[in-house]
């Protein structure tokens, strides 16, 4: 079974002691960023069969002739198209053709959806949505209690719904086939067009200043903390090397600029904070230890926004799902 890299080696190599699969990296545990150990590009950030889709996970009509590694092959082609473009960006060459801009945007979009972060957040969001919908299904809850031979008085129904909507309630978890297909579709049809509408920039640093992680793309907007997506981001970052980052901006600015430590700190915070398992830096660097990263990872929560008065004197509460 193929061992898939959650982050492509073409990025990891640029943070390593040498630009090969044997290059050394300093690997830090997201659960305890004081815990570090050496690893190699070949071993870093990978998982056996992560993109593999077995034929039995598909509808019967789609099974004949199915290649279980079709998603892995597709990601390999995306990386192959992007490799020369990343080299060009580091050398100061922006993509010139529409095809090149499309390939680069798709490469960045795929980095946002291919890994553990997207899988975890989709499970969180769909669980919140499910619990919200269950709150309005008292008839189904009553029927379910009766089917189990349990009391189904109004207070029993409410208690059952409270349990369902609690943090210990049921969770939705996408299976692998759904996760792989949803992630690629979201990258191609949602995120790539959004990135293509933005202004491409190259950000340079006069000394090694950047790290990378298993969630390498960050979205930033002033004053928004973690509640930032591509739609409301002022900048979308992808570190390309220790001294170069790619950015998609909402506003026109210098397309190739040397920037300072404040911007590096923003990029590194987003890169490390969003990681699910691992943050990586060059063996000679000690950048992560300078960052003030919250112990708890960002997650999707439901929070109260406002109470609205309706016609006739009735009132409604407005809630939202938000990443905090």
């Amino acid at each position: 079974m193929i061992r898939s890299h959650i982050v492509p080696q073409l990025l990891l190599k640029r943070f390593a002691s040498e630009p090969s699969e044997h290059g050394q990296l300093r690997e830090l545990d997201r659960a305890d960023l004081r815990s570090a150990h050496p690893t190699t590009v070949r071993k870093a950030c990978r998982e056996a069969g992560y993109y593999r889709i077995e034929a039995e996970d598909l509808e019967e009509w789609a099974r004949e002739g199915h290649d279980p590694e079709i998603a892995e092959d597709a990601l390999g082609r995306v990386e192959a198209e992007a490799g020369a473009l990343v080299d060009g960006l580091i050398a100061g060459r922006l993509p010139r053709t529409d095809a090149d801009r499309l390939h680069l945007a798709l490469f960045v979009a795929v980095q946002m959806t291919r890994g553990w972060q997207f899988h975890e957040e989709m499970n969180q969001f769909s669980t919140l949505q499910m619990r919200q919908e269950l709150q309005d299904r008292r008839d189904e809850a009553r029927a379910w209690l009766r089917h189990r031979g349990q009391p189904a008085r109004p207070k029993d129904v409410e208690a059952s719904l409270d349990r369902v909507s609690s943090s210990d309630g049921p969770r939705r978890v996408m299976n692998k086939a759904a996760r792989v297909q949803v992630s690629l579709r979201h990258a191609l049809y949602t995120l790539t067009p959004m990135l293509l509408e933005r202004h491409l920039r190259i950000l340079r640093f006069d000394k090694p200043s950047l790290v990378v992680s298993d969630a390498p793309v960050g979205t930033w907007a002033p004053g928004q903390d973690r509640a930032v997506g591509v739609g409301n981001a002022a900048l979308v970052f992808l570190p390309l090397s220790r001294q170069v980052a790619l950015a998609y901006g909402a506003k026109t600015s210098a397309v190739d600029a040397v920037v300072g430590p404040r911007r590096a700190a923003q990029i590194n915070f987003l890169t490390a904070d969003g990681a699910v398992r691992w943050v990586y830096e060059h063996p000679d660097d000690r950048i992560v230890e300078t960052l003030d990263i919250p112990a708890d990872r960002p997650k999707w929560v439901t929070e109260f926004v406002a109470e609205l008065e309706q016609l006739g004197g009735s009132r409604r509460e407005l809630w939202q799902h938000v990443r905090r």
Side-chain angles (χ1 to χ4, degrees):
M1 185 177 293
I2 293 176
R3 295 185 66 85
S4 305
H5 278 82
I6 307 303
V7 176
Q9 293 187 75
L10 73 89
L11 289 179
L12 294 171
K13 289 175 182 178
R14 300 182 185 281
F15 295 85
S17 60
E18 61 177 86
S20 76
E21 66 174 15
H22 304 295
Q24 295 287 311
L25 291 162
R26 190 165 184 258
E27 184 176 70
L28 298 102
D29 188 339
R30 175 61 179 87
D32 180 7
L33 291 173
R34 297 168 298 178
S35 173
H37 61 271
T39 189
T40 64
V41 169
R42 184 175 65 86
K43 295 179 180 178
C45 206
R46 67 177 187 166
E47 184 173 315
Y50 188 73
Y51 305 114
R52 184 180 177 88
I53 302 176
E54 303 294 350
E56 54 264 31
D57 291 330
L58 302 176
E59 298 287 345
E60 288 190 15
W61 62 266
R63 295 177 182 177
E64 185 176 354
H66 168 68
D67 177 6
E69 302 295 348
I70 186 172
E72 178 75 31
D73 292 343
L75 289 169
R77 290 194 295 273
V78 171
E79 292 174 21
E81 293 284 356
L85 296 173
V86 171
D87 289 339
L89 288 168
I90 292 175
R93 299 189 303 272
L94 291 170
R96 295 182 177 180
T97 68
D98 288 343
D100 284 347
R101 285 188 284 272
L102 172 61
H103 289 143
L104 183 63
L106 177 59
F107 174 73
V108 176
V110 165
Q111 306 321 304
M112 300 180 75
T113 67
R114 69 186 291 175
W116 297 310
Q117 182 193 57
F118 181 80
H119 186 203
E120 182 179 278
E121 293 195 348
M122 287 300 97
N123 288 339
Q124 290 174 5
F125 186 82
S126 60
T127 295
L128 292 176
Q129 190 67 29
M130 175 194 68
R131 290 174 178 172
Q132 181 181 14
E133 291 177 2
L134 288 174
Q135 280 292 306
D136 298 326
R137 298 189 175 183
R138 286 169 175 76
D139 291 341
E140 289 94 330
R142 185 179 299 106
W144 181 77
L145 289 171
R146 288 173 175 168
H147 177 73
R148 293 170 59 90
Q150 297 177 353
R153 296 165 297 182
K155 67 177 184 179
D156 300 316
V157 171
E158 294 302 322
S160 174
L161 292 173
D162 287 343
R163 287 193 298 271
V164 165
S165 61
S166 72
S167 59
D168 295 327
R171 301 174 185 272
R172 297 190 68 181
V173 178
M174 286 191 295
N175 64 28
K176 184 191 296 185
R179 182 252 300 163
V180 173
Q181 293 175 78
V182 168
S183 67
L184 293 177
R185 183 167 61 246
H186 188 62
L188 179 59
Y189 294 111
T190 302
L191 296 178
T192 298
M194 295 175 73
L195 291 174
L196 287 171
E197 293 177 351
R198 290 172 165 267
H199 303 281
L200 193 61
R201 299 181 62 193
I202 304 172
L203 305 180
R204 300 187 184 278
F205 301 85
D206 57 11
K207 63 179 182 179
S209 302
L210 301 177
V211 303
V212 72
S213 77
D214 60 46
V217 180
T219 50
W220 174 84
Q224 292 298 313
D225 195 26
R226 290 165 160 176
V228 182
V230 175
N232 65 329
L235 287 172
V236 179
F237 298 113
L238 174 62
L240 300 179
S241 74
R242 297 164 72 199
Q243 293 183 237
V244 180
L246 169 65
Y248 283 91
K251 297 181 180 179
T252 305
S253 188
V255 296
D256 194 329
V258 177
V259 293
R262 181 177 179 182
R263 185 66 80 190
Q266 289 172 344
I267 296 172
N268 290 330
F269 176 88
L270 294 166
T271 302
D273 187 45
V276 174
R277 301 183 189 178
W278 308 111
V279 182
Y280 299 97
E281 62 184 3
H282 189 278
D284 294 339
D285 294 340
R286 295 296 183 272
I287 297 170
V288 175
E289 65 188 30
T290 68
L291 303 173
D292 185 16
I293 306 296
D296 294 333
R297 292 195 59 256
K299 63 181 180 180
W300 283 88
V301 298
T302 303
E303 63 181 31
F304 177 75
V305 177
E307 187 175 54
L308 306 176
E309 185 170 354
Q310 307 293 305
L311 292 175
S314 63
R315 306 186 71 84
R316 297 185 64 185
E317 292 182 344
L318 179 63
W319 294 73
Q320 68 176 357
H321 298 321
V322 65
R323 186 173 182 262
R324 296 294 189 202

